[in-house]
Amino acid sequence: MHEKWMAEALAEAEKAAQMGEVPVGAVIVFENEIIARGRNEMRTRQDPTHHAEMQAIQRAATHLGYYRLLGCDLYVTLEPCAMCAGAMVLARIRHCYYGTSDPKTGACQSLMNIPQDERLNHRVELTAGVLAEACRAQLQQFFQQIRHKNG
């Protein structure tokens, strides 16, 4: 089942790539149904907060009519950064499944582990590596195309 939801997040990431954005996609699942989608749109919107996870969290809260996303699971193609990890905690996301790790900005296990910090009032369960190769390949292909284009 997790692969099914991550495939949906990969589709969102592909939409981001087609817009010239770094291909990261996210979906939020509640009661076995996608209630929100998001994709990177930082360049398009000229806003550093428009990460895939942030969009999905905002849309899920609107869908549920409540800012706490109790019982919701987030699927995202790349390990969330500190901003997104913090938002997951504040939103009370139940579980975050991510595809590939981010050794430069990952805040769910790589550089730090905000979602499971015992000093915080909520902890998000984490599962890394869901469709990891497909998620990694999508990002690598995007950056190879950028390098090729820029010579």
Side-chain angles (χ1 to χ4, degrees):
M1 183 58 74
H2 301 303
E3 289 81 8
K4 172 186 173 182
W5 302 128
M6 189 61 75
E8 293 287 336
L10 278 163
E12 290 300 314
E14 182 56 34
K15 292 175 188 174
Q18 291 172 2
M19 296 169 57
E21 299 279 352
V22 174
V24 178
V27 297
I28 293 183
V29 175
F30 179 67
E31 295 180 348
N32 208 31
E33 178 185 329
I34 293 175
I35 62 166
R37 298 171 180 272
R39 61 182 168 271
N40 272 3
E41 290 186 358
M42 293 178 300
R43 292 178 180 155
T44 303
R45 295 180 182 259
Q46 292 298 301
D47 183 340
T49 67
H50 272 276
H51 289 201
E53 302 95 308
M54 297 298 284
Q55 286 191 352
I57 288 169
Q58 291 167 354
R59 291 172 180 157
T62 298
H63 175 84
L64 293 175
Y66 192 56
Y67 69 102
R68 290 205 171 142
L69 305 181
L70 303 170
C72 291
D73 298 327
L74 171 68
Y75 291 82
V76 60
T77 58
L78 181 65
E79 179 181 359
C81 70
M83 174 182 66
C84 295
M88 291 187 318
V89 172
L90 292 172
R92 308 296 197 268
I93 293 287
R94 176 176 57 190
H95 201 124
C96 174
Y97 300 87
Y98 64 90
T100 191
S101 297
D102 185 349
K104 292 184 179 180
T105 64
C108 291
Q109 290 174 327
S110 292
L111 296 179
M112 60 192 85
N113 193 341
I114 292 171
Q116 295 181 333
D117 190 318
E118 293 182 3
R119 296 169 294 180
L120 299 175
N121 62 347
H122 176 75
R123 277 165 284 300
V124 178
E125 293 297 317
L126 298 171
T127 300
V130 179
L131 296 181
E133 188 51 43
C135 294
R136 186 173 22 260
Q138 187 179 50
L139 284 160
Q140 287 174 336
Q141 180 183 15
F142 176 80
F143 287 113
Q144 285 171 352
Q145 289 173 346
I146 295 288
R147 284 190 293 276
H148 178 69
K149 191 183 292 184
N150 293 336

